[in-house]
Structure formats: structure tokens, C-alpha cells
Amino acid sequence: MLGVIDLPTYLAGLVLIVLLPGPNSLYVLSVAARKGVRTGYTAAAGVWCGDTVLMTLSAAGVASLLQANAVLFSIVKYAGAGYLTWLAVGMLRAAWAMWRARREPAVRSAETEAVAGERPFRRALVISLFNPKAILFFVAFFVQFVDPGYAYPALSFVVLGAFAQLASFLYLTALIFSGTRLAAAFRRRKRLSAGATTAAGALFLGFAVKLTLASA
């Protein structure tokens, strides 16, 4: 179909890959839990735009260049790890502010104001773009399902990318609505909110370490 081979296997692998937790999905979940459905979808839109850019770069062969150039790969890798670390520190500071203000619901600290003033779309977009392993995944996974003899390989990438975005949309939608349910519990329980934010910050630090140790 349009130069795509073994579509059932591609879809099965895609579902497994999408369901694996990562910084993108965790960020969307945390935003939805803190700010609701609309802002959750704003962050999700940043993820989808970032993934589209990565798919386009992969189809254009940029991923192969990144994989072949160790210096370029290292630059992107450490920049991405640094950004994730910066986000993690912000989350941990916000969690500490929530913990200190757990008995003062009317008081908002500088840290919580900073969280309230974040730009979910831009943050999610940057998280997606500064993920070299995602670029390498797209080129390594996609090419296995493109018929080398098909006259219009770009169309094949479009079909594969459309399925990937559909799977991402369904998954992130489920996370967003799960996050809004968590939000109600967070508003009632300050300690729970602080603990969840701390856990999210710790996971982002873990993602940063994992990215730092990644190889091309």
C-alpha cells in the first residue's frame, strides 16, 4: 500500500513503542494534571510538531548524518540532556514550594508562579527536538517498512508518519484525561501534589542521564 510493506508488523511495533514512557508523554501528563485538558492538548501539539519535524529530517536523511557524525550527535545529545535537567530542577523547586505552602492554600510562591507562567507548547516542542535517539529511531524503524522499489518513497514516509501521529494522538489524549482526574486529587491533597511533582522531576533527571549515556 503506497510503498509500505508489512503494515501489520509496523502497527504492532508502533503501539509498543508509543506506550513506552518517555519525557514527552510524562510532560504532557504533568501539564494536564496541573492545568487541565486545554493546556494538556497545547503541550501535546508541541510533541506532534516536534515529531513531524523529526520524521521530516529522517526522511531527508539528516538522521543518517547525525548518526555518522559523532561530534554533531554529542552536541545534540548533551544539549537535550541539559534541557531535561533544567526542567527537572524547575519541577523539584516547584515541589519544594508546594510542600512549604501545603498549609497555606492562598499563598503562591515564586516557584509556583514560574510553573504557572510556563509555555507548554514550546517546552514540549524543544523536548521532542532535542532527542537524538528519537531521530535515529525514526530512520531505523521507518526504513524497514518502505519498499525500496517504490517510485515515491516520500509518500511512504507520509503514510507511516500519519499512523505514528494517530497512535500518539490517541495515547496522549488518554494521558490528558487521566491527568485531569489526577488534578482533582492534587488540589485536595497538597502533599500528594508535591510528591507527584517530585517524582516527575526525578524521572526527568533519569531521562537526562539516560540521554547522556546514549550512543549514536
Side-chain angles (χ1 to χ4, degrees), residues 4-80:
V4 176
I5 58 177
D6 204 2
L7 183 59
T9 301
Y10 170 75
L11 294 178
L14 180 62
V15 169
L16 293 176
I17 292 168
V18 168
L19 291 178
L20 290 175
N24 292 344
S25 57
L26 178 61
Y27 181 67
V28 171
L29 176 62
S30 68
V31 168
R34 288 184 282 110
K35 297 189 175 183
V37 172
R38 183 174 181 178
T39 309
Y41 273 113
T42 299
V47 173
W48 297 326
C49 287
D51 286 348
T52 298
V53 171
L54 295 184
M55 292 176 196
T56 303
L57 293 176
S58 297
V62 175
S64 298
L65 174 63
L66 182 63
Q67 189 173 22
N69 191 318
V71 175
L72 181 60
F73 181 87
S74 295
I75 291 174
V76 176
K77 178 177 69 173
Y78 288 116

Side-chain angles (χ1 to χ4, degrees), residues 24-197:
N24 292 344
S25 57
L26 178 61
Y27 181 67
V28 171
L29 176 62
S30 68
V31 168
R34 288 184 282 110
K35 297 189 175 183
V37 172
R38 183 174 181 178
T39 309
Y41 273 113
T42 299
V47 173
W48 297 326
C49 287
D51 286 348
T52 298
V53 171
L54 295 184
M55 292 176 196
T56 303
L57 293 176
S58 297
V62 175
S64 298
L65 174 63
L66 182 63
Q67 189 173 22
N69 191 318
V71 175
L72 181 60
F73 181 87
S74 295
I75 291 174
V76 176
K77 178 177 69 173
Y78 288 116
Y83 187 72
L84 290 178
T85 301
W86 179 73
L87 288 179
V89 171
M91 288 181 174
L92 293 174
R93 290 180 61 196
W96 176 243
M98 292 175 191
W99 177 259
R100 288 188 303 174
R102 63 188 182 279
R103 296 178 181 175
E104 304 173 6
V107 177
R108 299 186 71 185
S109 65
E111 288 87 349
T112 55
E113 288 289 351
V115 172
E118 70 181 302
R119 298 179 180 179
F121 178 88
R122 186 176 66 179
R123 284 197 175 185
L125 177 64
V126 174
I127 290 172
S128 295
L129 294 179
F130 277 93
N131 190 350
K133 299 303 292 185
I135 301 176
L136 301 182
F137 154 74
F138 280 123
V139 70
F141 190 62
F142 276 24
V143 295
Q144 299 179 46
F145 302 95
V146 175
D147 184 357
Y150 188 64
Y152 306 101
L155 184 58
S156 303
F157 277 95
V158 170
V159 172
L160 295 173
F163 279 115
Q165 292 288 48
L166 176 61
S168 177
F169 172 81
L170 295 175
Y171 179 56
L172 292 182
T173 293
L175 291 182
I176 287 169
F177 283 95
S178 297
T180 56
R181 292 188 177 185
L182 290 173
F186 290 164
R187 283 192 293 268
R188 292 193 303 266
R189 302 178 181 179
K190 298 293 183 180
R191 293 182 180 180
L192 177 62
S193 179
T197 304

